[in-house]
Amino acid sequence: MAARPSALRRSGRVLLYTVMILAAAGIMLPFAWMVISSLKQNNQVFTAPVEWIPDPVQWRNYLDIWVKADMVTWVRNTLVLSVAVTLLQVLTGSFAAYGFAKMRFPGRDALFLVYIGTIAVPWQSYMIPQFQMLSSWGLNNTLWAIMLLQAFGAFGVFLMKQYYESIPDSLSEAARIDGLSEYGIWWRIIMPLSVPALASLTIITFVSTWNDYLGPLIYLRDRELWTIQIGLQSFIGEYNAEHALIMTGSVLSVLPIALIFLLGQRYFVQGIATTGVKG
Amino acid sequence: MATPVADDRRTLGLPQPERPPLRKPRTSLKLRNALVGWTFILPNFAGFAVLTLVPVLTLFYISLTSWNIFGAAQWVGLDNFARLVGDKSFHTALGNTFYYAALHIPITIVASLSLALLLNQKLRGAAFFRTVAFFPYITSIVAVAVVWNMLFSPEYGPINQFLSLFIGGEMPGWTVSKDWAMPAVIIVGTWKDMGYYMLLFLAGLQTVPGELQEAARIDGANAWQRFWNVTLPCLRPTMFFVTVMVTIQSFKVFDLILVMTDGGPGQATLVLSQYIYQKGFEQFEFGYASAVAVVLFFICIIVTVVQFVYNKRKEA
């Protein structure tokens, strides 16, 4: 094919690249603007025309915000929640997925259908009964509420099951003949083989718990319990004229996600792709 | 299932073995298998049942009661639903939900499919672009909303500054204008979501056989014809999955609107999810809010079922 790079073909390439670069720039622009504004003085955020290089560069914002906001508390709470939810989700999700993917017993498929069915049910439609149930257990206004809320989603089961089904059954058969129990097969054979899927589930769960806004908004009333999303939102309300500082807070709330994403990007893409293959 | 085996042996007059028959361990193995299977599922299912299934079921009961933050639920039958019929705010929320969905669904699908087709070319830097396009999807709603609100700022916002280079006259007021608030929210929603669906489409495009494309090319089909007659039919399962997911996501849109416009200005961007939140968690009318939630529940279920049936019919 490379033998006849006609002029038409080459100009097609150039066009493709131009479109791609423009699209990438367009998509990233809000983030660029966010970072740039976080390094400006407040009165420099809105200027006509837009100043793309902050002058002077205002690193101070990144110090000030720790003093003006309860960033430490928010980050700590969010971290506690994200780690706990991710552990529970990955553990129970992959455990259940083994049952659904590798074991045969009556009721299995019907049960899995129930899991899938809830995908079409928006959380907003049952958040009220759920809230009342958790309140009646005295879990309202505790971090436990958010942990319970997020930890048993259908998503983890779904993702892990899709992956387990790609692992040949002959492997677990062989282990069974060798006398390994089902739990042993799950732990010693399937888990080590599913590291990519586990990684993607871990990243996806961590990120979605970190970013969750509605759950904490409904359940966490006390300031000491706030997560970074709730805190940031209240900070915006309180300091609504301090645009530069608000952008600084936004950058800080996105930064951990950006890092995790860059580190685990491969797994992320893989995880999303496997959940969607079987429509 | 356990007993007939032994009975058969007896009725057939076969000698009863001293040791348990070979068949018996098999049935108890089956039972054991089922029990082990259940133990795998139970830790997750228990949480799932209690925290998801039970609330979904009690939703219907609560929607038939009058229940405020104090006191117990009082049975009122269909009163809440009768009240919905005459509730102007509810009508607005319903209309806005469909408005959002009607634009967000097609725009997101076209945008994400276009991105996927672009990246399916063998281009250097495609992996980098995939990362870029996916990034908005995983960033927090609050950060996204606040930065876009500033970008949309009518007088000094970069977006209107940019637009004024090309068009004169009055600039859109975006989130502070009744007419432009919803388009603004839809733009941000699409920008945020399209990377996710792009990945799904990319995964789907891997399944389109290259020979088919090549054959069509040899037959003289141009790029558009190849897309329409080869790529798109092969993408049907992915297209179906994406459509179902985008649809549900559009009907339940909430966080983005809550943080960007809080339903305003006026009720210009009030959607069903938010109305549920307002009635339930701000005005503590749990019964009435649940009636709205039942409506949202059925919209999502009905739309999904219709899509499934349509997909099945096309498949046949």
Side-chain angles (χ1 to χ4, degrees):
Chain A
M1 268 197 280
R4 45 182 182 87
S6 64
L8 192 76
R9 229 184 146 85
R10 205 177 303 157
S11 62
R13 292 253 112 171
V14 171
L15 186 72
L16 274 177
Y17 274 112
T18 316
V19 172
M20 193 167 88
I21 291 165
L22 280 179
I27 291 171
M28 282 313 266
L29 209 64
F31 294 110
W33 197 81
M34 180 164 93
V35 174
I36 290 163
S37 303
S38 76
L39 295 171
K40 286 181 175 177
Q41 284 173 355
N42 191 43
N43 55 12
Q44 289 178 315
V45 171
F46 291 116
T47 50
V50 180
E51 285 175 31
W52 287 104
I53 296 161
D55 180 39
V57 179
Q58 208 49 16
W59 295 107
R60 269 200 66 94
N61 290 337
Y62 282 87
L63 294 175
D64 287 352
I65 192 152
W66 297 90
V67 182
K68 290 202 178 181
D70 293 330
M71 272 286 188
V72 181
T73 317
W74 301 340
V75 170
R76 193 190 54 220
N77 288 336
T78 318
L79 211 57
V80 166
L81 284 178
S82 302
V83 170
V85 166
T86 305
L87 273 176
L88 276 168
Q89 173 87 256
V90 168
L91 215 64
T92 67
S94 62
F95 202 55
Y98 183 85
F100 280 125
K102 295 290 176 200
M103 300 208 56
R104 225 146 280 156
F105 56 90
R108 185 193 72 168
D109 296 337
L111 205 60
F112 191 67
L113 216 66
V114 173
Y115 269 89
I116 303 239
T118 54
I119 292 176
V121 181
W123 181 66
Q124 287 86 343
S125 72
Y126 61 87
M127 63 185 174
I128 289 176
Q130 199 179 43
F131 177 78
Q132 289 181 326
M133 192 172 70
L134 289 174
S135 301
S136 73
W137 296 347
L139 295 178
N140 181 11
N141 210 5
T142 65
L143 293 182
W144 291 106
I146 306 297
M147 286 185 206
L148 289 173
L149 221 63
Q150 296 266 28
F152 302 100
F155 178 76
V157 181
F158 189 61
L159 189 145
M160 294 309 293
K161 181 187 178 248
Q162 298 281 74
Y163 193 84
Y164 287 173
E165 276 172 355
S166 71
I167 299 174
D169 280 341
S170 51
L171 268 178
S172 31
E173 291 299 339
R176 231 165 260 156
I177 289 164
D178 287 347
L180 208 55
S181 74
E182 296 293 328
Y183 307 105
I185 298 173
W186 168 72
W187 181 245
R188 294 201 192 172
I189 311 240
I190 303 291
M191 284 292 260
L193 281 176
S194 54
V195 169
L198 287 170
S200 66
L201 178 60
T202 304
I203 298 169
I204 291 169
T205 313
F206 190 93
V207 167
S208 74
T209 315
W210 184 279
N211 284 337
D212 186 20
Y213 174 67
L214 206 46
L217 177 71
I218 290 174
Y219 284 95
L220 306 176
R221 305 271 158 188
D222 289 350
R223 287 188 83 100
E224 309 86 75
L225 296 178
W226 281 358
T227 61
I228 191 150
Q229 305 303 334
I230 302 295
L232 185 61
Q233 179 66 12
S234 84
F235 187 72
I236 293 165
E238 229 168 297
Y239 294 88
N240 58 30
E242 301 216 29
H243 306 296
L245 214 54
I246 288 172
M247 288 296 99
T248 309
S250 303
V251 172
L252 287 178
S253 80
V254 171
L255 208 58
I257 297 307
L259 283 176
I260 290 174
F261 179 55
L262 286 178
L263 291 175
Q265 194 247 120
R266 201 159 50 93
Y267 296 119
F268 228 130
V269 171
Q270 199 178 353
I272 299 294
T274 38
T275 43
V277 173
K278 286 188 186 175
Chain B
M1 289 289 243
T3 41
V5 182
D7 284 351
D8 284 349
R9 286 182 150 263
R10 212 169 293 140
T11 45
L12 289 172
L14 292 169
Q16 294 288 306
E18 286 166 319
R19 289 166 149 240
L22 274 171
R23 285 278 178 94
K24 205 177 165 210
R26 224 181 116 204
T27 48
S28 73
L29 190 75
K30 235 180 177 176
L31 185 70
R32 224 185 60 112
N33 232 339
L35 283 177
V36 174
W38 271 96
T39 58
F40 273 103
I41 291 169
L42 207 62
N44 189 277
F45 183 71
F48 173 74
V50 170
L51 293 155
T52 302
L53 293 183
V54 170
V56 169
L57 296 176
T58 40
L59 168 73
F60 295 94
Y61 168 73
I62 299 176
S63 74
L64 300 172
T65 65
S66 164
W67 193 355
N68 300 322
I69 190 165
F70 304 111
Q74 270 182 332
W75 183 264
V76 293
L78 292 172
D79 280 9
N80 288 327
F81 293 94
R83 192 175 141 199
L84 283 178
V85 177
D87 181 347
K88 278 228 170 68
S89 301
F90 170 70
H91 297 166
T92 307
L94 193 65
N96 285 342
T97 306
F98 278 96
Y99 178 9
Y100 181 87
L103 288 180
H104 182 253
I105 297 169
I107 295 175
T108 305
I109 289 177
V110 170
S112 52
L113 181 56
S114 311
L115 287 180
L117 288 170
L118 178 68
L119 288 192
N120 203 39
Q121 315 284 328
K122 296 217 165 15
L123 288 178
R124 216 178 281 251
F128 170 74
F129 184 85
R130 235 176 13 218
T131 312
V132 165
F134 189 61
F135 192 59
Y137 181 73
I138 54 157
T139 39
S140 86
I141 293 274
V142 178
V144 158
V146 64
V147 77
W148 274 96
N149 269 349
M150 289 191 189
L151 293 175
F152 275 131
S153 162
E155 274 181 59
Y156 296 105
I159 289 177
N160 275 0
Q161 275 187 46
F162 178 74
L163 287 178
S164 68
L165 296 178
F166 302 97
I167 40 172
E170 208 180 324
M171 289 293 130
W174 300 114
T175 51
V176 292
S177 138
K178 279 197 168 157
D179 295 328
W180 286 100
M182 194 54 109
V185 172
I186 292 168
I187 289 172
V188 182
T190 306
W191 169 82
K192 192 164 163 37
D193 296 339
M194 63 186 178
Y196 174 73
Y197 299 108
M198 173 201 75
L199 283 185
L200 295 184
F201 275 128
L202 266 175
L205 282 172
Q206 306 304 313
T207 64
V208 179
E211 310 91 72
L212 269 182
Q213 296 280 15
E214 214 36 59
R217 198 195 301 264
I218 287 163
D219 288 346
N222 63 30
W224 174 255
Q225 285 168 330
R226 267 176 287 145
F227 168 71
W228 195 254
N229 296 313
V230 180
T231 311
L232 215 49
C234 292
L235 264 186
R236 243 176 42 79
T238 314
M239 184 59 96
F240 169 67
F241 183 75
V242 169
T243 312
V244 169
M245 297 310 281
V246 183
T247 307
I248 296 167
Q249 216 201 356
S250 301
F251 278 111
K252 69 176 191 191
V253 62
F254 180 30
D255 319 35
L256 185 66
I257 287 181
L258 185 74
V259 187
M260 264 187 84
T261 63
D262 196 15
Q267 292 187 326
T269 52
L270 180 74
V271 287
L272 282 179
S273 307
Q274 199 191 353
Y275 195 52
I276 298 169
Y277 176 79
Q278 277 183 3
K279 284 289 161 197
F281 294 101
E282 285 174 1
Q283 296 162 19
F284 303 110
E285 290 191 59
F286 293 130
Y288 189 58
S290 294
V292 182
V294 168
V295 173
L296 178 65
F297 175 89
F298 277 115
I299 289 175
C300 288
I301 297 292
I302 289 170
V303 169
T304 308
V305 168
V306 166
Q307 285 170 338
F308 261 93
V309 170
Y310 182 76
N311 184 53
K312 271 269 135 57
R313 196 181 296 165
K314 271 241 163 149
E315 236 165 36

